[in-house]
Amino acid sequence: MTSPRIAIAGAGIGGLTCARVLQLHGFENVTAFERESSPEARQQGGTIDLHADSGQEAVRAAGLFEQWRALARFEGQEQRKVDHATAALIEHEPAEGDFRPEIDRGQLRRLLLDSLAPGTVTWGRGISSAKPGEVTFLDGSTSTFDLVIGADGAWSRVRPALSPAVPLYTGVMFVETRHDNDERLLDLTGQGTMVADGGGLMIWSQRNSGDHIRAYACMRADEEWMPSNTDLMELYAGWHPSLLAFLEGELIYRPLYSLPVPHTWEHTPGVTLLGDAAHLQPPLGVGANLAMQDAAELALAIAADGVRDGVRAYESVMVPRSVSFAERTNSALLEMVPERPVRV
């Protein structure tokens, strides 16, 4: 029998995991379409922790577990909380076990890319819209497939084929800074993650490979607010100077969005979603894991039951699971970053 033609919108870690597992099970006509021109076209984000019961299981399904372990930073599981006014350590969770080791997103993406058959990803060819069994590309051309998988993130172009839902602003703004080889900040952050909070504000830092730090000032704010370094220093007045050092340097503004909860749709043959395209939610450690779990489970269901029945079986598990997680992460975000006495 001819292998079904499967289109994957997006070459992030979810789409690539799905392609890899499908290929391991003999599906040859799998193509991921990516609007970016190359794997190096954009920074791939910071470090992510792969959980034993989701992300790591997806890596196993992709046949890449030992390669992932060689790259994973088990010491990155360390978590610290410090006092915002004194920078004194007040809570410490050492790196123990292997439940959620860290790996740079770019390293994980490269591992997945290198595992695929040559030509699996078509770079510089984004999808502008989709309907069951058909995609329209940004150049206006169209092509038909047995299945279209939307793995194209928060602002998915495939999602409208199944749902009218669009991401909504959560009311929480992250302002990102990046720091290299700064011993002050490395010492404060430790090997993993550091957090300090007070008065409805938070600073959250993560150690990436190569002594690189990504830090985030977190607060309730208007969606369009773009503070300067001076604005942040004024906002965080009274915080310890060593913590204020995280707010120095170039600022990258990241208003947080989520899909309405519950986000569900009627099963429609020929098209489905995974990852943020299906269940965008706040970045509290589960998004990448769910995307990879979705991807592996979808591919395995297709391998077991065929495209039509496999997708139905996958959605019957994925959708209620994602609703449950989204309910928890949305409420957790607002608890983590509460309203301040005076809103920006």
Side-chain angles (χ1 to χ4, degrees):
M1 294 179 62
T2 302
S3 180
R5 298 186 70 226
I6 298 176
I8 300 174
I13 58 175
L16 296 177
T17 299
C18 190
R20 166 65 176 176
V21 179
L22 284 168
Q23 288 183 349
L24 281 181
H25 288 269
F27 290 83
E28 300 174 351
N29 295 325
V30 178
T31 306
F33 296 98
E34 173 55 59
R35 70 182 59 205
E36 292 175 359
S37 58
S38 74
E40 294 77 33
R42 179 176 61 86
Q43 273 270 358
Q44 291 303 305
T47 184
I48 56 177
D49 55 337
L50 288 195
H51 297 183
D53 59 354
S54 53
Q56 291 183 42
E57 286 301 305
V59 173
R60 287 184 189 276
L64 298 171
F65 190 77
E66 293 306 319
Q67 296 95 315
W68 163 78
R69 281 187 64 89
L71 295 170
R73 299 191 308 279
F74 290 84
E75 70 277 8
Q77 297 174 100
E78 180 188 13
Q79 297 190 51
R80 297 180 172 197
K81 183 173 184 179
V82 304
D83 183 87
H84 76 284
T86 67
L89 185 66
I90 55 178
E91 294 181 18
H92 183 224
E93 182 179 326
E96 296 178 346
D98 58 0
F99 178 68
R100 52 178 190 275
E102 299 280 344
I103 184 172
D104 286 8
R105 184 181 289 266
Q107 291 177 320
L108 179 58
R109 191 191 195 205
R110 174 50 63 187
L111 177 63
L112 289 162
L113 279 170
D114 289 347
S115 74
L116 296 173
T120 299
V121 180
T122 300
W123 299 99
R125 196 171 195 210
I127 290 174
S128 65
S129 65
K131 56 186 180 181
E134 182 178 304
V135 298
T136 299
F137 297 99
L138 292 173
D139 63 6
S141 63
T142 62
S143 189
T144 58
F145 297 87
D146 296 286
L147 176 64
V148 179
I149 300 171
D152 49 344
W155 307 100
S156 171
R157 301 297 183 91
V158 177
R159 186 191 300 126
L162 291 169
S163 163
V166 295
L168 303 174
Y169 180 51
T170 63
V172 175
M173 172 77 72
F174 280 15
V175 182
E176 179 181 340
T177 60
R178 300 173 183 176
H179 310 270
D180 287 305
N181 301 306
D182 188 319
E183 291 300 328
R184 304 168 300 165
L185 304 187
L186 289 167
D187 288 345
L188 264 176
T189 301
Q191 295 298 317
T193 301
M194 185 279 304
V195 65
D197 59 43
L201 299 171
M202 176 179 288
I203 292 176
W204 172 25
S205 67
Q206 289 185 308
R207 190 180 192 130
N208 292 219
S209 63
D211 290 337
H212 177 71
I213 294 283
R214 289 181 185 240
Y216 305 86
C218 315
M219 74 287 290
R220 299 285 187 101
D222 291 335
E223 185 176 4
E224 304 301 325
W225 189 54
M226 298 178 69
S228 65
N229 296 91
T230 300
D231 292 331
L232 289 179
M233 292 297 179
E234 292 177 352
L235 187 63
Y236 282 79
W239 283 54
H240 194 270
S242 64
L243 291 170
L244 295 179
F246 284 108
L247 308 181
E248 298 171 356
E250 181 184 358
L251 304 179
I252 302 166
Y253 306 100
R254 301 199 182 282
L256 301 187
Y257 298 88
S258 66
L259 283 169
V261 181
H263 180 228
T264 63
W265 59 87
E266 291 292 328
H267 170 73
T268 303
V271 61
T272 193
L273 305 172
L274 64 81
D276 284 350
H279 44 72
L280 176 67
Q281 51 196 279
L284 298 183
V286 298
N289 284 278
L290 284 179
M292 295 183 71
Q293 184 177 20
D294 291 351
E297 290 183 357
L298 172 58
L300 292 171
I302 291 171
D305 299 322
V307 168
R308 180 180 289 269
D309 293 339
V311 170
R312 185 185 292 276
Y314 154 75
E315 291 179 346
S316 71
V317 173
M318 181 275 290
V319 171
R321 176 178 64 212
S322 66
V323 169
S324 175
F325 272 103
E327 289 172 343
R328 284 178 276 166
T329 57
N330 278 278
S331 62
L333 177 70
L334 300 183
E335 291 175 8
M336 184 179 80
V337 187
E339 288 277 8
R340 290 177 287 117
V342 177
R343 182 168 178 156
V344 175

